[in-house]
């Protein structure tokens, strides 16, 4: 593997500030970011990438390439929880296996945004409609996870309040703001982009950097929870993203995605949710242990992807797209 890709990624200011946040916890600094600020920044990042994606989608139109990409994204969001569930069932009960499988079938918007910044640093173009793939992949895994609980619970069949489940899956704040921003970008087009560019583009990397500082703090605090997961889950949290990214790259190559889009698609396939899915699982599957599905996604998979995974998947693309 080309070590320069990893070095280039690590030396990006947002990644360095992620390390700074982790270091602050490890050395027991009193660095603390007030809770409302990271929430505000996460909403800003979703608004910015959603709006830009809508503007770019207006330019490209709904082509065959767009349809194939979005179809592939939906299929992966449904299939990943299925095979990961059976792998997890080798060591875990149905509830924990389904919750973790749903977590890895969904996505991390921040990982996607970090990969976008990585591509920008390398001057590699990518299409804005990949944001639509991001939006599509967040929710199906929740539904698949709950179906798996129903199918494989032997003592009693679970009765879910499906209206609440669907509300949480498709109208949670992340999905709602992302899709809404995408639609507004499509409606306003280039004129809207020119008006909002100082806000959505000029501030973007500064906000991403500050947000990753906070994510470093949060991830480091979750490291102690890894003691409860054991070697099996830690290995799963590293190896499954690589497997999922490999499948994503094969699909991307098959449908002729350009390199930038292929990286973003592989990152979506490789990432794991630490916000939307955990919130839904706490509500619908209280028997599942949150320290398992949150700590694996946040303290293992998220750092792995943004530090090593993104350049690793880019290396795979450089080999396949020769």
């Amino acid at each position: 593997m080309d070590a320069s890709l990893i070095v280039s990624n690590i030396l990006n200011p947002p990644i360095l500030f992620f390390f700074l946040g982790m270091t602050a916890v490890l050395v027991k600094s009193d660095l603390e970011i007030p809770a409302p600020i990271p929430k505000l920044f996460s909403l800003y990042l979703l608004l910015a990438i959603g709006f830009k994606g809508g503007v770019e989608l207006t330019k490209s139109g709904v082509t065959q390439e767009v349809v194939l990409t979005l179809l592939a994204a939906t299929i992966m969001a449904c299939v990943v929880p299925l095979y990961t569930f059976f792998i997890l069932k080798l060591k875990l009960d149905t509830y924990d296996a389904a919750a973790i499988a749903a977590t890895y079938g969904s996505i991390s918007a921040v990982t996607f945004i970090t990969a976008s910044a990585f591509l920008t640093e390398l001057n590699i173009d990518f299409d804005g409609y990949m944001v639509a793939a991001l939006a599509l992949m967040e929710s199906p895994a929740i539904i698949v996870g709950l179906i798996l609980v129903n199918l494989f619970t032997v003592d009693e069949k679970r009765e879910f309040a499906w209206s609440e489940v669907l509300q949480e899956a498709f109208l949670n704040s992340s999905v709602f703001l992302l899709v809404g921003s995408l639609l507004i970008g499509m409606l306003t087009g280039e004129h809207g982009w020119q008006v909002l560019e100082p806000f959505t583009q000029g501030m973007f990397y500064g906000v991403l950097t500050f947000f990753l500082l906070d994510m470093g703090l949060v991830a480091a605090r979750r490291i102690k929870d890894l003691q409860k997961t054991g070697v099996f889950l830690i290995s799963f949290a590293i190896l499954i993203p690589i497997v999922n990214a490999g499948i994503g790259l094969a699909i991307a190559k098959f449908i002729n995605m350009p390199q930038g889009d292929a990286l973003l698609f592989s990152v979506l396939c490789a990432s794991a949710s630490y916000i939307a899915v955990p919130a839904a699982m706490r509500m619908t599957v209280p028997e599942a242990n949150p320290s398992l599905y949150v700590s694996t996604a946040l303290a293992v998979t998220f750092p792995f992807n943004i530090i090593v995974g993104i350049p690793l998947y880019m290396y795979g693309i450089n080999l396949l797209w020769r």
Side-chain angles (χ1 to χ4, degrees):
M1 178 179 171
D2 188 354
S4 65
L5 285 174
I6 294 181
V7 173
S8 173
N9 186 50
I10 289 175
L11 292 181
N12 264 339
I15 303 299
L16 289 173
F17 273 91
F18 176 81
F19 281 126
L20 182 64
M22 293 195 76
T23 303
V25 174
L26 297 177
V27 301
K28 299 182 180 179
S29 167
D30 63 353
L31 177 62
E32 187 75 36
I33 299 173
I37 295 177
K39 178 64 175 178
L40 174 63
F41 283 173
S42 69
L43 294 176
Y44 165 83
L45 292 170
L46 291 170
L47 183 153
I49 64 166
F51 184 76
K52 183 178 181 181
V55 172
E56 294 297 326
L57 190 56
T58 300
K59 294 178 183 177
S60 66
V62 182
T63 62
Q64 180 181 1
E65 186 181 55
V66 174
V67 173
L68 286 175
T69 299
L70 298 184
L71 180 62
T74 305
I75 291 172
M76 281 298 288
C78 295
V79 171
V80 169
L82 294 176
Y83 64 77
T84 52
F85 173 77
F86 291 105
I87 294 171
L88 291 160
K89 276 281 286 178
L90 295 174
K91 293 285 185 179
L92 303 175
D93 63 29
T94 295
Y95 301 115
D96 287 329
I100 298 171
T103 298
Y104 281 81
S106 189
I107 51 86
S108 160
V110 179
T111 308
F112 178 91
I113 293 166
T114 306
S116 303
F118 176 77
L119 289 171
T120 301
E121 185 74 16
L122 295 180
N123 294 315
I124 298 175
D125 293 331
F126 56 92
D127 290 301
Y129 63 74
M130 292 304 298
V131 176
L134 167 69
L136 280 174
M137 292 182 76
E138 174 129 35
S139 302
I142 297 172
I143 308 302
V144 174
L146 296 182
I147 291 172
L148 289 169
V149 169
N150 248 343
L151 289 176
F152 290 91
T153 302
V154 293
D155 50 353
E156 59 176 297
K157 295 300 178 186
R158 302 293 304 274
E159 291 294 332
F160 301 113
W162 283 103
S163 61
E164 294 182 14
V165 172
L166 295 174
Q167 174 94 8
E168 181 64 37
F170 294 100
L171 291 177
N172 67 72
S173 61
S174 299
V175 173
F176 184 82
L177 180 59
L178 188 64
V179 173
S181 301
L182 185 77
L183 293 174
I184 291 171
M186 291 175 64
L187 288 172
T188 58
E190 188 62 29
H191 171 70
W193 175 250
Q194 291 174 3
V195 171
L196 283 183
E197 185 177 10
F199 176 70
T200 56
Q201 190 69 15
M203 296 172 53
F204 186 84
Y205 289 101
V207 173
L208 175 60
T209 298
F210 203 102
F211 186 75
L212 283 180
L213 170 65
D214 179 69
M215 289 301 299
L217 293 168
V218 174
R221 289 175 187 136
R222 283 283 178 181
I223 288 175
K224 65 179 184 297
D225 291 336
L226 295 179
Q227 298 172 355
K228 305 173 185 176
T229 65
V231 175
F232 173 76
L233 274 184
I234 294 174
S235 302
F236 172 91
I238 294 172
L239 296 177
I240 282 297
I242 298 174
V243 171
N244 292 345
I247 295 171
L249 289 181
I251 294 172
K253 180 66 174 175
F254 180 73
I255 63 178
N256 294 316
M257 282 188 199
Q259 291 189 23
D261 294 357
L263 177 67
L264 294 180
F265 183 68
S266 67
V267 165
L268 288 173
C269 295
S271 62
S273 171
Y274 49 82
I275 299 175
V277 173
M281 289 298 112
R282 282 194 190 100
M283 178 180 72
T284 55
V285 190
E287 297 89 346
N289 184 351
S291 68
L292 297 182
Y293 54 81
V294 175
S295 61
T296 50
L298 188 54
V300 183
T301 300
F302 177 73
F304 172 79
N305 273 330
I306 68 167
I307 296 167
V308 178
I310 290 172
L312 176 64
Y313 312 147
M314 191 71 235
Y315 177 71
I317 289 169
N318 290 339
L319 292 178
L320 290 172
W321 268 253
R322 282 179 176 174

